[in-house]
Amino acid sequence: VPIEWDSEGNIINKEAIGTQLYDELSTGFKLATSKLETVHSVTLDSGSSFRYVVYKAPSSNSSDVRYLQFISRVDAEKQLAENFGRILIICSIGSWILSIFASYYLSQKAMNPVLASWRKQTEFVANASHELRTPLTIIQNKLELLLTKPNDRIIDQMEPIALSLSEIRHLSKMTSDLLLLSRADSNATVLTEEMVDLNRFVTEVIAPYKEIAESKEMTIWTQLDSNRVSKIDPVRIQQLLVILLDNSLKYSQAGDSIGIRTEVKDNYWIVEVRDTGQGIPEENREKVFERFYREEKSRNRETGGTGLGLAIAKWIVDLHKGKIEILNNLPKGTIFRVKIPIK
Ligand code: ADP
């Protein structure tokens, strides 16, 4: 029901509009006749909100001016709008905070591998320089010592000369290993695969080691069950086997035995190099594949190791999309098991 106002601002149809609305309007509201026919909002002292529009009522008698006010209570809508606004603010602050955390987390996640490889690289360079410096210092000392004895004959100074030569050999091995690994890092090396008779290939690789083992009073046994021709990179696989055999010989003593076992199972070529040597403790089995990692460094210096062998071995296995793992050889020793997929 529209509310009717007379020109003095009194409500005429009090009965029709209900007492509560009448009370509110008659105490808190003044009709402004200047703003006709547009929608207005008003909040009264009672706290109620309304929207209304006022029209001048058509009247035959011009002295009797009346106004019709169409009014609607909008408390609920206002409350709704306020709640909505509040939710909007909370949500936008929430999503803002969330996006800050998410972007921090994601950037951290994206940066982590970069940082890790950066750290690895600096560590690698630091390790490499350190490892190169030791033999260089030894050679320098020995040569300086020789210079202090200009009248000696070579035969009198065999020891420093032999030691220097051995350090030079070590340096040369290490630089070629480093070169190989740096090529590996730049992905510059690709496999040159060819069809290879697996059993014959392994036999040929092992042959020279039989004599070396004998000279160290060790034995080498083989159990080759991979009688087939498959596609592998013979140069790299030979390098891999040589690294594993070298290690077995280095880290075993007289009386120990070294075994090479191969088989083909579920399209995988499995090669095991087993030894009964000093073994690798469980907790170091991941670490030995890291560059320059060596157990009991001082002792291993005598063996001429560079700490790069197994890192290269792992790289070769990865290149063939294979796996390399270390198992216990019972009662003592190590088993290096390589699994390479073949067709
Ligand atoms: P290194 O040139 O010192 O042999 P590697 O990367 O080949 O370097 O091996 C890393 C370390 O793993 C070695 O220093 C040695 O402590 C350990 N290791 C490797 N192979 C064997 C093995 N067959 N038996 C015992 N320990 C081994």
Side-chain angles (χ1 to χ4, degrees):
V1 184
I3 301 163
E4 293 178 24
W5 299 78
D6 64 17
S7 52
E8 265 86 55
N10 298 316
I11 295 172
I12 304 165
N13 61 342
K14 175 184 170 187
E15 295 76 23
I17 61 170
T19 36
Q20 197 203 342
L21 183 56
Y22 173 79
D23 286 345
E24 282 184 285
L25 286 176
S26 57
T27 51
F29 184 77
K30 286 248 158 336
L31 186 71
T33 51
S34 54
K35 297 178 278 179
L36 296 180
E37 296 183 22
T38 47
V39 180
H40 297 281
S41 303
V42 65
T43 303
L44 301 181
D45 297 342
S46 60
S48 302
S49 299
F50 297 93
R51 302 203 88 193
Y52 67 88
V53 58
V54 180
Y55 292 98
K56 202 168 182 181
S59 165
S60 48
N61 186 350
S62 60
S63 65
D64 183 17
V65 184
R66 284 188 308 145
Y67 296 93
L68 291 182
Q69 184 187 29
F70 294 88
I71 190 161
S72 159
R73 196 185 281 273
V74 291
D75 286 338
E77 287 82 351
K78 206 174 159 206
Q79 190 67 36
L80 208 70
E82 274 169 15
N83 281 348
F84 184 66
R86 218 171 290 137
I87 288 170
L88 212 65
I89 289 169
I90 291 170
C91 281
S92 57
I93 290 175
S95 64
W96 189 60
I97 292 171
L98 207 73
S99 68
I100 287 176
F101 277 109
S103 57
Y104 178 76
Y105 172 74
L106 287 178
S107 67
Q108 205 68 6
K109 216 175 151 111
M111 282 300 286
N112 270 350
V114 181
L115 286 175
S117 83
W118 172 258
R119 229 173 284 129
K120 239 169 132 180
Q121 199 64 25
T122 15
E123 209 174 286
F124 179 56
V125 172
N127 280 335
S129 338
H130 178 77
E131 296 293 329
L132 290 171
R133 210 175 48 196
T134 318
L136 281 174
T137 314
I138 296 174
I139 295 167
Q140 189 183 358
N141 286 342
K142 296 294 165 196
L143 288 181
E144 278 168 1
L145 184 82
L146 288 183
L147 270 183
T148 60
K149 297 171 182 165
N151 295 323
D152 271 17
R153 290 170 306 162
I154 287 176
I155 190 118
D156 303 326
Q157 294 296 342
M158 279 305 261
E159 194 250 66
I161 295 173
L163 224 135
S164 300
L165 272 178
S166 136
E167 289 301 328
I168 288 170
R169 265 194 294 275
H170 182 71
L171 269 180
S172 135
K173 166 96 175 69
M174 188 147 60
T175 36
S176 61
D177 280 356
L178 282 173
L179 196 65
L180 188 69
L181 280 172
S182 85
R183 288 218 193 96
D185 285 344
S186 64
N187 291 330
T189 331
V190 279
L191 288 179
T192 326
E193 290 183 316
E194 53 187 82
M195 297 307 277
V196 172
D197 179 334
L198 298 181
N199 273 353
R200 203 166 69 201
F201 169 76
V202 175
T203 313
E204 281 169 14
V205 173
I206 297 168
Y209 285 89
K210 294 215 154 146
E211 280 173 32
I212 300 174
E214 264 168 39
S215 71
K216 293 182 156 194
E217 290 171 49
M218 299 175 200
T219 47
I220 290 193
W221 56 266
T222 53
Q223 184 194 326
L224 308 181
D225 291 325
S226 49
N227 195 8
R228 65 191 269 180
V229 177
S230 287
K231 217 176 187 183
I232 54 165
D233 183 334
V235 177
R236 296 285 168 226
I237 298 291
Q238 173 168 12
Q239 205 171 9
L240 166 70
L241 292 178
V242 165
I243 290 169
L244 298 181
L245 280 168
D246 258 345
N247 279 350
S248 287
L249 285 166
K250 275 194 292 192
Y251 304 111
S252 304
Q253 272 111 43
D256 283 328
S257 71
I258 294 160
I260 292 90
R261 206 180 66 82
T262 68
E263 65 173 318
V264 175
K265 206 169 152 190
D266 307 329
N267 286 339
Y268 280 96
W269 184 36
I270 298 167
V271 182
E272 283 178 4
V273 177
R274 300 158 162 255
D275 63 55
T276 55
Q278 66 186 48
I280 303 174
E282 192 91 38
E283 64 270 19
N284 295 341
R285 291 196 179 155
E286 288 292 313
K287 288 192 217 148
V288 292
F289 294 106
E290 287 169 14
R291 293 168 187 194
F292 294 115
Y293 179 82
R294 272 186 258 161
E295 289 179 65
E296 298 169 56
K297 298 201 175 206
S298 54
R299 176 130 68 96
N300 289 341
R301 176 140 192 93
E302 290 159 28
T303 64
T306 59
L308 295 171
L310 287 180
I312 294 173
K314 173 107 175 54
W315 164 69
I316 293 171
V317 173
D318 287 346
L319 217 55
H320 280 84
K321 298 189 172 55
K323 280 202 175 80
I324 182 164
E325 57 179 343
I326 300 174
L327 307 168
N328 274 332
N329 197 8
L330 293 173
K332 75 182 187 79
T334 318
I335 303 176
F336 277 88
R337 178 182 286 162
V338 176
K339 259 177 101 179
I340 288 174
I342 50 169
K343 276 155 232 143

